[in-house]
């Protein structure tokens, strides 16, 4: 139950979690949980629900002057976590992908999401790795699908680095430059929810479109 409560608290209040880590772990070791959470979200297909976007934003807020974090350290720790996480995910898929998919144990890895990612790879190729960095759930599954045969490792690494740097830089620097604004401080939880909502919106829209298309197809076949 404690681990469940930890994830609930992290999802609902990443700012409070980081503040607690700064006090408990100090200015050096505080980067350990930041690295671990982003690495696990991007590197292990079993944890797509971890709050990558909001955590990056909140860490950016604490990286401003007097916040307890150093902006360069924050950026490079997250760069490493994001890039190494995707790399780990890719190789897990290379060796165990078919077995994991066939087991059905990863409930979030639905046929609909896999079909959506197949469509992304067919349409955008390697850019899929960059595009999905900004889409929760899909950023966890894209490197996994790439590793099952969609892309060679050299090409994957190029797009992995570009996507990881772009994603981390965007969210951390938005928090860094705008997190100190009084309005943002006073409405931090609402803004975090907004970030999550905007991030998840493409996935929701895609799912709705897929559902409507499936319904239309079924209706036309019945006629």
């Amino acid at each position: 139950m404690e681990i469940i409560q930890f994830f609930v608290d992290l999802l609902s209040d990443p700012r409070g979690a980081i503040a607690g880590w700064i006090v408990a772990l100090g200015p050096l070791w505080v980067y350990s949980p930041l690295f671990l959470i982003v690495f696990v979200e991007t590197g292990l297909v079993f944890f797509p629900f971890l709050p990558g976007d909001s955590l990056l934003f909140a860490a950016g807020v604490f990286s401003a002057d007097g916040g307890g974090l150093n902006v360069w350290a924050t950026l490079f720790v997250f760069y490493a976590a994001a890039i190494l996480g995707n790399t780990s995910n890719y190789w897990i898929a290379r060796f165990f992908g078919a077995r994991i998919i066939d087991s059905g144990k990863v409930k979030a890895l639905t046929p609909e999401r896999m079909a959506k990612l197949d469509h992304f790879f067919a349409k955008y190729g390697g850019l899929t790795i960059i595009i999905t960095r900004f889409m929760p759930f899909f950023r966890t599954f894209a490197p996994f699908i790439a590793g099952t045969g969609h892309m060679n490792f050299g090409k994957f690494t190029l797009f992995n680095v570009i996507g990881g740097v772009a994603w981390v830089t965007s969210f951390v620097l938005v928090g860094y430059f705008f997190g100190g604004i009084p309005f943002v401080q006073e409405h931090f939880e609402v803004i975090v929810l907004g970030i999550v909502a905007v991030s998840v919106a493409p996935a929701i829209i895609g799912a709705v479109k897929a559902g409507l298309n499936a319904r239309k197809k079924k209706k036309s076949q019945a006629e």
Side-chain angles (χ1 to χ4, degrees), residues 6-196:
F6 170 79
F7 286 130
V8 170
D9 293 342
L10 184 61
L11 286 163
S12 61
D13 186 17
R15 181 172 61 170
I18 294 175
W21 296 334
I22 290 173
V23 173
L25 300 175
L28 181 60
W29 288 103
V30 65
Y31 296 101
S32 299
L34 298 178
F35 175 92
L36 187 62
I37 290 166
V38 171
F39 176 84
V40 168
E41 186 208 5
T42 57
L44 301 180
V45 74
F46 300 98
F47 296 94
F49 55 83
L50 291 176
D53 297 337
S54 56
L55 187 71
L56 295 180
F57 175 77
V61 173
F62 281 97
S63 297
D65 290 341
L69 300 178
N70 176 275
V71 66
W72 291 108
T74 300
L75 285 169
F76 282 103
V77 165
F78 281 140
Y79 289 154
I83 293 168
L84 292 174
N86 262 21
T87 302
S88 169
N89 206 335
Y90 177 94
W91 286 110
I92 288 172
R94 270 291 181 93
F95 290 110
F96 308 108
R99 197 179 307 171
I100 291 172
I101 293 170
D102 292 342
S103 72
K105 291 182 179 179
V106 185
K107 302 302 181 183
L109 195 60
T110 62
E112 292 78 16
R113 288 199 178 106
M114 292 180 66
K116 185 73 172 177
L117 283 167
D118 283 335
H119 171 72
F120 264 110
F121 275 108
K123 186 173 183 180
Y124 300 109
L127 289 175
T128 300
I129 302 300
I130 299 175
I131 295 168
T132 54
R133 275 289 189 183
F134 297 85
M135 302 168 65
F137 286 91
F138 287 108
R139 72 167 152 262
T140 301
F141 299 134
F144 184 86
I145 299 299
T148 60
H150 283 75
M151 197 178 301
N152 69 64
F153 183 63
K155 185 178 180 181
F156 169 80
T157 299
L158 173 64
F159 289 106
N160 178 25
V161 171
I162 295 172
V165 170
W167 177 55
V168 168
T169 301
S170 299
F171 281 95
V172 170
L173 292 189
V174 167
Y176 177 78
F177 286 114
F178 299 103
I181 297 173
F183 177 84
V184 175
Q185 292 287 342
E186 293 169 9
H187 301 87
F188 191 85
E189 288 77 13
V190 175
I191 289 172
V192 166
L193 288 174
I195 291 171
V196 173

